[in-house]
């Protein structure tokens, strides 16, 4: 199918308005745009992506209700339930208007692509014509998971979680599923899903490597850390980031800081400004800490993470195992220290450490001596070198999946054909 022929087809991606969900959806939009589709992003006003960074897309903002609330691990489930309850009617109106506008000068809607957390979308879409797909992460096999790794949310949210979960895993309402994963990571789980669900699936990843370079960052990236990285030695820097929602409390920050300082290894640490760390406590601590680490440490509020991980001085990633961060690390061959916080991060950490063996999980309370030990194990010791070698091997497998005849590229072409033939 030639690129020109698809010009008349419009896709409506509906991202969930959290950073870790916006990124892969916009990347998928970019990939499909490069295949010739017209892209109109239906998004929340809350955490809205910046349209000027994506001039090729159209954006339609949809009213929602939690504009002022801070997202935290503790209220994620409530926010998702609220979002789905309140967005259904406005989305229905919006879709009706969009469909009524279709004529020769407005492209036909070929497909709605929604995040699994935006499960109100297929309910609304069923009133209209367009086929739809769903983008979400993979439900793994039970091995190597333990009960404590299962993706429950925080204690106390069991009732809400049990309300949410059946909706997330409901693929009945969609005509196909785009999985944000690749064969070399989860081949056997993909085969089981394909077999059990009798549902068309498209595993397509690493999406950020397939998509033309652009950023969907909601926070301003502090690029000054790249100049700092430029002055370090190869594989010498430990990068620490917990993504956009997870955080450490003040005591954990203190233990982390001294563990890093005592390891004597260079580090780049992202501490978001939204993290609640008492400033009166931080003041004397940061003074001593700065004196101790001097030029060896760099702290930023938000980093250009993909660029950081691709820098050849970065030799390790202390991560909360958000799915995007994990994939970005795998794609650059950077071994990980996993410290999951909530939800599917526990599952991912187990896969990183037990199946792909490109990281270790730090399971105990954060304590400076333990932190120093595990940082040195990864950055200096022989075991760390072996881990880095395995990470490089996995990186090459991820690269192969997007070669012109690689599984992800084939899956993408099949998705394009599927949309066009629906
Ligand atoms: N990220 C970033 N700069 C930072 C920290 C994170 O650009 O300083 C990006 C990171 O590259 C990833 C996303 O934010 O694409 C976080 O998504 P992830 O799934 O890892 O975690 P979440 O934020 O959903 O917990």
């Amino acid at each position: 199918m030639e690129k020109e022929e698809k010009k008349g087809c419009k896709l409506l991606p509906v991202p969930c308005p959290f950073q870790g969900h916006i990124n892969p959806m916009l990347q998928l939009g970019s990939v499909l745009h490069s295949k010739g589709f017209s892209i109109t992003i239906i998004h929340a006003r809350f955490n809205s992506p910046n349209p000027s960074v994506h001039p090729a897309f159209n954006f339609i903002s949809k009213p929602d209700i939690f504009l002022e609330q801070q997202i935290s691990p503790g209220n994620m489930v409530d926010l998702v339930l609220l979002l789905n309850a309140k967005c259904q009617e406005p989305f229905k109106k919006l879709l009706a208007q969009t469909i009524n506008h279709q004529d020769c000068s407005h492209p036909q809607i070929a497909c709605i692509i929604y995040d699994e957390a935006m499960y109100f979308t297929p309910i609304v879409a069923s009133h209209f014509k367009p086929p739809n797909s769903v983008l979400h992460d993979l439900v793994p096999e039970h091995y190597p998971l333990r009960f404590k790794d299962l993706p429950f949310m925080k204690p106390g949210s069991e009732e809400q979680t049990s309300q949410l979960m059946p909706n997330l895993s409901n693929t009945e309402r969609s005509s196909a599923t785009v999985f944000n994963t690749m064969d070399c990571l989860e081949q056997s789980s993909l085969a089981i899903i394909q077999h059990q669900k009798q549902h068309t699936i498209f595993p397509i990843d690493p999406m950020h490597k397939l998509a033309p370079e652009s950023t969907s960052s909601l926070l301003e990236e502090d690029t000054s850390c790249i100049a700092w990285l430029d002055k370090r030695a190869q594989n010498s820097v430990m990068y620490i980031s917990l993504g956009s929602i997870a955080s450490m409390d003040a005591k954990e920050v203190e233990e982390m800081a001294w563990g890093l300082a005592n390891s004597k290894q260079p580090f780049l640490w992202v501490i978001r400004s939204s993290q609640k760390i008492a400033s009166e406590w931080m003041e004397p601590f940061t003074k001593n800490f700065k004196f101790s680490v001097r030029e060896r440490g760099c702290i930023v509020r938000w980093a250009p993470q993909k660029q950081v991980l691709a820098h050849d001085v970065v030799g390790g990633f202390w991560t909360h195992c958000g799915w995007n961060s994990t994939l970005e690390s795998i794609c650059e061959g950077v071994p990980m220290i996993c410290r999951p916080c909530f939800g599917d991060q526990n599952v991912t950490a187990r896969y990183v450490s037990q199946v792909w063996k490109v990281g270790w999980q730090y399971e105990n309370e954060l304590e400076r001596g333990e932190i120093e030990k595990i940082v040195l194990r990864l950055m200096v010791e022989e075991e760390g070198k072996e881990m880095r070698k395995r990470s490089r091997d996995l990186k090459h497998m991820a690269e192969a999946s997007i070669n012109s005849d690689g599984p992800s590229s084939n899956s993408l072409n099949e998705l394009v054909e599927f949309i066009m033939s629906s």
Side-chain angles (χ1 to χ4, degrees):
M1 190 82 55
E2 288 307 307
K3 188 170 172 172
E4 269 312 295
E5 288 179 51
K6 298 187 211 90
K7 281 268 159 64
C9 290
K10 172 151 72 178
L11 307 183
L12 300 185
V14 184
C16 178
F18 305 137
Q19 182 73 75
H21 292 243
I22 290 172
N23 290 2
M25 187 61 96
L26 265 61
Q27 286 155 6
L28 179 61
S30 297
V31 173
L32 291 170
H33 181 263
S34 73
K35 296 280 180 186
F37 291 104
S38 149
I39 306 290
T40 297
I41 308 281
I42 309 285
H43 65 92
R45 281 200 208 132
F46 165 82
N47 267 352
S48 167
N50 180 356
S52 69
V53 183
H54 307 277
F57 297 169
N58 297 309
F59 286 84
I60 300 180
S61 125
K62 145 181 80 55
D64 55 38
I65 33 99
F66 54 90
L67 302 178
E68 303 304 329
Q69 286 196 47
Q70 283 274 358
I71 308 169
S72 73
N75 70 3
M76 285 277 286
V77 176
D78 287 343
L79 291 183
V80 172
L81 288 170
L82 201 58
L83 180 67
N84 278 280
K86 300 287 181 187
C87 282
Q88 197 157 325
E89 274 313 305
F91 183 64
K92 197 169 175 180
K93 280 195 201 124
L94 194 148
L95 204 52
Q97 278 164 10
T98 314
I99 285 173
N100 289 341
H101 262 89
Q102 290 187 153
D103 56 36
C104 318
S105 57
H106 291 84
Q108 299 291 313
I109 298 173
C111 189
I112 297 171
I113 304 177
Y114 65 97
D115 187 294
E116 66 165 346
M118 306 297 272
Y119 55 80
F120 70 88
T121 314
I123 301 172
V124 172
S126 64
H127 298 287
F128 302 92
K129 270 275 185 223
N132 50 69
S133 305
V134 50
L135 167 76
H136 75 165
D137 291 342
L138 192 54
V139 180
E141 294 171 69
H142 295 311
Y143 169 79
L145 305 178
R146 301 157 301 180
F147 184 74
K148 66 177 180 178
D149 300 318
L150 295 177
F152 302 126
M153 298 293 162
K154 289 280 176 202
S157 68
E158 289 84 0
E159 199 185 315
Q160 291 93 327
T161 305
S162 57
Q163 221 181 315
L164 180 66
M165 283 308 188
N167 285 305
L168 294 188
S169 53
N170 187 346
T171 51
E172 312 277 302
R173 301 181 188 125
S174 61
S175 49
T177 302
V178 177
F179 279 116
N180 199 191
T181 190
M182 49 192 146
D183 254 29
C184 67
L185 296 183
E186 301 182 279
Q187 195 175 28
S188 61
S189 302
L190 284 166
I192 290 171
I193 288 185
Q194 179 89 72
H195 179 73
Q196 282 176 347
K197 297 212 168 174
Q198 303 287 314
H199 188 74
T200 312
I201 64 168
F202 301 101
I204 303 175
D205 242 327
M207 206 80 84
H208 69 283
K209 292 285 182 185
L210 281 163
E213 193 57 41
S214 76
T215 178
S216 43
S217 192
L218 298 169
L219 297 173
E220 196 180 337
E221 294 168 340
D222 184 343
T223 52
S224 66
C225 59
I226 301 297
W228 181 89
L229 288 174
D230 288 342
K231 294 190 206 123
R232 312 293 137 200
Q234 195 172 18
N235 289 333
S236 69
V237 175
M238 176 61 107
Y239 171 58
I240 304 107
S241 161
L242 303 183
S244 60
I245 300 168
S247 60
M248 292 177 189
D249 64 25
K251 181 74 189 130
E252 290 175 325
V253 171
E254 184 179 12
E255 292 304 312
M256 188 76 201
W258 288 112
L260 289 168
N262 298 341
S263 78
K264 306 271 186 289
Q265 302 305 302
F267 63 88
L268 167 60
W269 188 1
V270 177
I271 304 183
R272 296 190 317 276
S273 50
S274 57
Q275 282 193 227
K276 292 192 200 87
I277 301 165
S279 51
E280 68 279 13
W281 175 85
M282 281 295 280
E283 200 48 42
F285 153 70
T286 45
K287 230 193 246 164
N288 290 342
F289 176 64
K290 275 185 191 151
F291 181 75
S292 169
V293 299
R294 297 172 191 263
E295 275 295 290
R296 202 164 20 81
C298 176
I299 296 179
V300 293
R301 295 298 189 195
W302 191 249
Q305 180 165 302
K306 291 198 282 295
Q307 214 182 329
V308 166
L309 288 168
H311 203 298
D312 66 358
V313 303
V314 174
F317 183 12
W318 182 293
T319 173
H320 69 308
C321 282
W323 187 237
N324 295 291
S325 295
T326 304
L327 278 175
E328 288 159 11
S329 200
I330 286 173
C331 286
E332 303 305 339
V334 178
M336 290 167 256
I337 296 174
C338 308
R339 173 78 178 164
C341 173
F342 65 95
D344 64 347
Q345 296 157 14
N346 296 298
V347 175
T348 307
R350 282 295 279 180
Y351 269 70
V352 168
S353 58
Q354 303 299 311
V355 179
W356 308 320
K357 299 188 190 311
V358 290
W360 290 301
Q361 185 164 349
Y362 185 111
E363 301 216 43
N364 300 331
E365 258 180 46
L366 289 184
E367 189 277 322
R368 60 191 71 187
E370 291 286 315
I371 295 169
E372 179 188 346
K373 231 193 289 169
I374 200 166
V375 167
L376 289 172
R377 189 176 167 205
L378 186 68
M379 303 304 286
V380 179
E381 291 169 18
E382 202 51 44
E383 263 189 295
K385 288 190 187 127
E386 286 160 22
M387 180 77 80
R388 190 157 300 113
K389 183 175 174 315
R390 279 197 298 279
S391 305
R392 296 271 163 206
D393 294 345
L394 189 56
K395 169 191 165 145
H396 293 138
M397 287 160 84
E399 279 168 353
S401 74
I402 54 169
N403 283 346
S404 56
D405 60 347
S408 285
S409 302
N410 290 338
S411 205
L412 173 62
N413 292 334
E414 285 161 20
L415 172 65
V416 170
E417 292 305 322
F418 177 83
I419 294 172
M420 294 308 294
S421 62
S422 302

